[in-house]
Amino acid sequence: MIAAPRHQMMSLAIQPCVMSRGSAVQAVVSPSQGEMGTAHSSGAGTRVMIIGGDGYCGWATALHLSARGYKVAIVDNLVRRTFDLQLGMDTLTPISSIHDRVKKWAEVSGNHIDLMVGDICDWDFLEQSMESFRPEAVVHFGEQRSAPYSMIDRTRAVYTQHNNVIGTINVLYAIKEICPDCHLVKLGTMGEYGTPNIDIEEGYITIEHNGRTDTLPYPKQGGSFYHLSKVHDSHNIFFASKAWDIACTDLNQGVVYGVRTEETMADPALINRYDYDGIFGTALNRFVVQAAVGHPLTVYGKGGQTRGFLDIRDTVRCVQIAIDNPANKGEMRVFNQFTEQFSVNDLTKIISTEGAKLGLDVNIVSVPNPRVEKEEHYYNAKCTKLRDLGLEPHLLSDGLIDSLLTFALEHKDRVNMDLIKPAVNWKKSGVVDAMTNAAVSK
Ligand code: NAD
Ligand code: USQ
């Protein structure tokens, strides 16, 4: 293990960002030029600001909503791209710059997306963005979202909590002071709950104690400084929703998989990012790439770790449902946003079986767990509220793995094998040698 180079830490400490205040891209194209964007919904016309709209979930959501007639603005400081540059990583898919993305989307769909490049931790930038766009809903994806990244060292732990917690407080103040009727749709995580030995409710639990009863926020046990930043966000949102009468929805999302949505596949320049490395890659997406390149599937420890999962096509739909059915003012509503539960071992079995159908010889290896987490545990989380509002899930059994494997095979020449190994150990500082070697060799 070695520590990350000093200059990386320095640049993170000053929050890398690309600033261009209120730099809306006016790439307007006449609707007749495009074919996308005809499937309007009941929310068409709603002004939605998507913070983190250049990221994996945010980009797919921005296009999904824009295609359905919502007026979309993307706010992003592009820091996710900076992490790749600093750590020598790259997405499996060749993604275009955000400026080219929105321009291409206007050509393909005829729909204009506003683009504001800047950091929501910078109050002046956020204030100006909110004042110019005047959103009716803000969807907040704009956080450092990797648990391993937050555990690299003290600098990254502090960066993660500062970026996420302060960014969210700024968003709450911006709503209070500029757009008090705006609905905040905030991305939380199922990992806020940890893995308790009782059923996980949707946000709140009714407790009887010494003869009295109350409904309280469900106990939180984050498993990394990243997950804990989401816990802090939830507490801050809970408080602010009541103090300032703001309507908030906290979407406790599970692990997202997949890459294709109708809109991001409409043109190569619209393709979404796909992380498979040991820092930003998530379990199922990583296993698919590992199977495609003949790397054994990396089960951390015993593999009984169980989590909620969902297809990215359901992420975008869940966000739309939350926008179309807003919370009440003064309420922090919580939805558990996943569709199925799997253990890591369940996932490896599914991928072995599906891989064999494509002629892939999929091996599985148990590697020492770099994290501190339960490897065998009870897990039963509720997720009914989004379905009650109309979510029709894409399930893993619906042939998705087959098409994801085919997708990964198409892009396998871009895979850097050195990036696949787990790169961060919860008990040590720095990134493992393989990762840094990869960074150097790139
Ligand atoms: P991502 O890293 O791909 O996207 C996040 C985007 O936010 C990036 O484009 C980044 O540049 C931007 N950003 C970060 N800090 C910012 C700041 N201070 N100002 C402006 N922009 C900023 O992450 P993702 O996978 O799309 O996740 C989006 C959200 O969903 C995150 O909040 C994450 O915690 C949550 N989530 C993701 C998953 C998953 O499996 N990907 C699962 C559950 C929850
Ligand atoms: N795991 C392996 N092998 C791997 C990668 C992961 O066994 O190669 C295990 C991990 O140890 C963990 C589980 O798979 O037990 C999930 O890990 P992950 O990397 O897929 O997910 P996680 O770190 O929890 O974070 C991801 C997103 C985060 C989001 C979270 C949802 O990066 O933004 O909040 O999923 S949840 O897991 O519900 O908290």
Side-chain angles (χ1 to χ4, degrees):
M1 305 278 291
I2 60 160
R6 184 76 190 149
H7 69 273
Q8 290 182 8
M9 294 186 209
M10 293 294 290
S11 55
L12 280 164
I14 57 166
Q15 299 175 27
C17 71
V18 181
M19 280 282 296
S20 147
R21 296 191 175 180
S23 58
V25 169
Q26 301 292 335
V28 185
V29 181
S30 110
S32 58
Q33 282 180 258
E35 290 175 359
M36 308 286 298
T38 48
H40 284 222
S41 84
S42 58
T46 308
R47 302 180 66 76
V48 184
M49 174 180 281
I50 306 211
I51 303 174
D54 186 44
Y56 172 55
C57 300
W59 176 239
T61 303
L63 296 196
H64 175 84
L65 295 176
S66 176
R68 284 156 185 79
Y70 297 73
K71 304 273 177 237
V72 173
I74 286 176
V75 169
D76 202 300
N77 65 349
L78 313 183
V79 71
R80 177 67 193 84
R81 294 175 186 252
T82 307
F83 297 148
D84 279 350
L85 292 171
Q86 289 180 330
L87 291 165
M89 307 183 307
D90 205 354
T91 139
L92 176 72
T93 45
I95 57 172
S96 305
S97 75
I98 185 64
H99 299 86
D100 287 347
R101 279 176 155 186
V102 295
K103 223 159 112 183
K104 179 55 73 179
W105 175 243
E107 280 168 31
V108 168
S109 70
N111 295 328
H112 169 72
I113 291 180
D114 273 353
L115 174 63
M116 289 172 259
V117 178
D119 189 336
I120 59 163
C121 293
D122 174 345
W123 171 252
D124 290 344
F125 164 76
L126 181 61
E127 184 183 40
Q128 194 183 329
S129 305
M130 291 284 283
E131 272 171 356
S132 66
F133 185 70
R134 296 266 159 190
E136 293 159 274
V138 168
V139 184
H140 180 14
F141 292 105
E143 300 205 329
Q144 192 299 99
R145 71 103 177 127
S146 158
Y149 186 91
S150 75
M151 299 302 293
I152 291 178
D153 54 21
R154 190 200 65 83
T155 308
R156 268 69 169 221
V158 170
Y159 168 77
T160 300
Q161 293 220 347
H162 177 94
N163 185 61
N164 297 0
V165 176
I166 304 306
T168 298
I169 292 177
N170 277 351
V171 171
L172 288 165
Y173 265 97
I175 292 174
K176 167 185 177 269
E177 293 181 3
I178 302 162
C179 304
D181 294 329
C182 175
H183 176 208
L184 172 63
V185 178
K186 162 70 170 51
L187 270 290
T189 174
M190 285 302 294
E192 291 179 46
Y193 301 117
T195 51
N197 199 31
I198 56 171
D199 292 348
I200 294 173
E201 305 297 324
E202 294 202 58
Y204 298 91
I205 185 167
T206 300
I207 297 175
E208 197 188 312
H209 183 62
N210 293 345
R212 300 184 67 82
T213 304
D214 203 351
T215 298
L216 300 166
Y218 194 94
K220 306 285 171 74
Q221 304 180 74
S224 70
F225 285 119
Y226 154 71
H227 287 101
L228 285 160
S229 74
K230 297 287 198 184
V231 174
H232 305 325
D233 282 345
S234 292
H235 288 313
N236 289 340
I237 296 168
F238 181 73
F239 167 75
S241 65
K242 296 204 170 354
W244 302 332
D245 209 24
I246 297 176
C248 301
T249 300
D250 199 358
L251 296 174
N252 282 346
Q253 185 169 238
V255 187
V256 183
Y257 59 80
V259 64
R260 284 192 252 234
T261 59
E262 190 187 339
E263 296 80 20
T264 58
M265 295 308 288
D267 187 279
L270 300 175
I271 201 164
N272 204 348
R273 63 175 309 117
Y274 185 122
D275 301 313
Y276 66 90
D277 61 83
I279 297 185
F280 279 88
T282 51
L284 182 50
N285 281 352
R286 271 168 65 67
F287 293 156
V288 165
V289 170
Q290 292 169 356
V293 297
H295 190 290
L297 310 189
T298 53
V299 173
Y300 295 168
K302 292 181 183 155
Q305 300 94 311
T306 303
R307 302 286 185 269
F309 287 80
L310 74 163
D311 188 309
I312 192 160
R313 291 172 295 179
D314 291 334
T315 291
V316 301
R317 179 76 186 118
C318 288
V319 171
Q320 184 189 357
I321 288 172
I323 295 168
D324 290 351
N325 302 275
N328 296 318
K329 278 173 81 72
E331 176 192 21
M332 183 182 87
R333 181 180 63 169
V334 181
F335 293 160
N336 289 348
Q337 181 168 312
F338 70 95
T339 57
E340 295 178 279
Q341 289 185 189
F342 296 105
S343 71
V344 169
N345 290 330
D346 292 336
L347 296 179
T348 58
K349 276 189 207 119
I350 294 168
I351 291 174
S352 303
T353 309
E354 293 302 316
K357 289 183 195 162
L358 293 174
L360 298 171
D361 182 17
V362 181
N363 293 306
I364 299 165
V365 64
S366 168
V367 299
N369 197 336
R371 305 186 182 201
V372 176
E373 61 184 359
K374 287 183 203 154
E375 294 175 7
E376 285 172 327
H377 57 89
Y378 176 78
Y379 198 78
N380 185 32
K382 307 272 173 68
C383 61
T384 55
K385 292 187 185 173
L386 282 158
R387 289 203 196 198
D388 290 347
L389 288 171
L391 175 68
E392 290 169 12
H394 295 85
L395 301 179
L396 203 51
S397 52
D398 295 341
L400 190 264
I401 288 291
D402 177 41
S403 68
L404 248 191
L405 277 168
T406 310
F407 184 91
L409 284 166
E410 280 164 17
H411 293 85
K412 72 178 202 168
D413 290 348
R414 287 177 51 87
V415 174
N416 179 341
M417 300 291 268
D418 285 337
L419 298 182
I420 286 180
K421 294 177 183 59
V424 181
N425 186 302
W426 263 222
K427 294 191 172 174
K428 298 177 187 167
S429 274
V431 288
V432 294
D433 288 352
M435 192 80 188
T436 311
N437 289 340
V440 169
S441 69
K442 272 182 92 75

